[in-house]
Amino acid sequence: MGSLIGSGLRFVWRMLPLVIYIGAGAGIFLGVKSALYADGALVVDRILIQPSDALTPEETQSIETRWLGSNILAVDLKKIAAQLESDPDVQQALVFRHLPSQLKIEIKKRDPIAFIQFASKGVYGLISEDGMILDTAQTSNASLVTIEAYGLNEKEPRRGRMFEHAGFHEAISFLKAFWSHPLARRETITRIALDHLGNVTITLGSQPKVRLGRYPIERFPALSKILPILESPERTQIDYIDLQFDDVIVKRKDKK
């Protein structure tokens, strides 16, 4: 028993310098931290927002009211970013400290890329590239393509809701690629239809519809095959063109 006690005392004695060192280090750290937090030079006196018009005057004032005059080391950068990103218009907010006294906030905003409608007689949503509903409207217009997402058991679009659907993201990827395709100089995509399986169908101008399937961007090589059809008088007689397969399928309207 005596040997065990002796061993324990020797262990404690050997560890004592380390404990003292750690305690001293912690004390120094806390002292330095307290001194920095009390340093009048480390007070936020400017908040730089880029781009300068990314936030409304009211939003800017709210941030300034909360953080101007605060010790810059005590500013919760993640809290500011989360507050800003709670706005559907803001896709990403990055907040940085620039010692001794400046905060910098970089804002990436969302822009509408299309109208979206979940029912043929429902309201329209203005939707961003990543699927965020930015606003709603009673009507659409020719400034943006209209996406028909019928039959997906989706409710009426509302601001701040994220629309997650594989077909939507495939359609947007195709739309952006189309804008840089030679066909875009002659044709405009006016509507995009999505079904519950993720199949994408586009409408060129007022007609025809072009079926592209679940991976529309892979059908770009087939687009050149339909140029003669689009430029011919028979275009008005076409119900749809199917490009999902190696052979182009042209379905003409039924004669009445």
Side-chain angles (χ1 to χ4, degrees):
M1 178 64 72
S3 62
L4 289 175
I5 294 174
S7 298
L9 289 174
R10 285 193 295 273
F11 175 77
V12 171
W13 183 254
R14 286 197 299 268
M15 294 299 295
L16 185 59
L18 178 60
V19 171
I20 294 173
Y21 177 78
I22 292 174
I28 293 171
F29 172 77
L30 292 174
V32 170
K33 182 178 180 181
S34 297
L36 289 173
Y37 273 61
D39 190 340
L42 297 176
V43 171
V44 178
D45 62 14
R46 185 184 181 194
I47 300 176
L48 179 64
I49 299 172
Q50 294 183 335
S52 58
D53 61 348
L55 303 179
T56 66
E58 292 77 17
E59 290 169 331
T60 301
Q61 183 178 16
S62 175
I63 292 174
E64 290 178 341
T65 299
R66 174 64 182 87
W67 297 108
L68 282 178
S70 301
N71 184 283
I72 195 168
L73 299 179
V75 173
D76 191 333
L77 305 185
K78 291 183 179 179
K79 182 176 181 179
I80 296 175
Q83 174 189 343
L84 293 170
E85 290 174 0
S86 66
D87 182 343
D89 293 326
V90 176
Q91 184 171 358
Q92 185 180 50
L94 300 175
V95 187
F96 306 94
R97 292 185 184 92
H98 285 272
L99 298 177
S101 59
Q102 180 177 298
L103 292 179
K104 182 179 179 182
I105 302 175
E106 296 179 355
I107 303 289
K108 180 182 179 182
K109 300 200 74 173
R110 293 182 173 96
D111 294 311
I113 196 170
F115 289 101
I116 191 165
Q117 194 178 32
F118 296 141
S120 59
K121 295 183 179 180
V123 300
Y124 295 85
L126 280 164
I127 193 166
S128 66
E129 180 180 334
D130 64 340
M132 178 65 74
I133 305 293
L134 304 176
D135 206 349
T136 58
Q138 294 300 317
T139 59
S140 62
N141 57 60
S143 64
L144 297 171
V145 64
T146 295
I147 298 175
E148 299 172 343
Y150 305 158
L152 304 184
N153 295 320
E154 292 288 339
K155 297 180 179 179
E156 192 172 272
R158 57 179 174 80
R159 174 175 164 80
R161 179 172 175 269
M162 183 68 77
F163 177 57
E164 293 288 353
H165 186 271
F168 169 78
H169 298 292
E170 291 288 344
I172 294 302
S173 295
F174 177 86
L175 180 62
K176 292 175 65 179
F178 177 86
W179 289 336
S180 60
H181 191 274
L183 186 59
R185 301 192 195 105
R186 311 182 189 188
E187 300 287 341
T188 300
I189 296 177
T190 55
R191 306 186 83 80
I192 299 175
L194 308 176
D195 68 12
H196 67 287
L197 296 175
N199 292 303
V200 176
T201 298
I202 64 172
T203 300
L204 296 174
S206 59
Q207 59 185 1
K209 295 178 180 179
V210 181
R211 297 180 177 180
L212 301 171
R214 294 177 62 187
Y215 306 104
I217 206 163
E218 296 180 1
R219 309 317 301 165
F220 261 112
L223 286 174
S224 59
K225 297 180 181 180
I226 68 172
L227 281 175
I229 300 174
L230 296 176
E231 295 172 350
S232 71
E234 68 177 285
R235 173 175 180 159
T236 58
Q237 304 303 315
I238 296 173
D239 185 16
Y240 65 83
I241 301 173
D242 197 328
L243 298 183
Q244 298 179 77
F245 311 102
D246 292 336
D247 294 328
V248 175
I249 298 173
V250 178
K251 174 66 169 62
R252 288 172 172 76
K253 296 177 182 178
D254 296 331
K255 294 183 180 180
K256 296 183 179 179

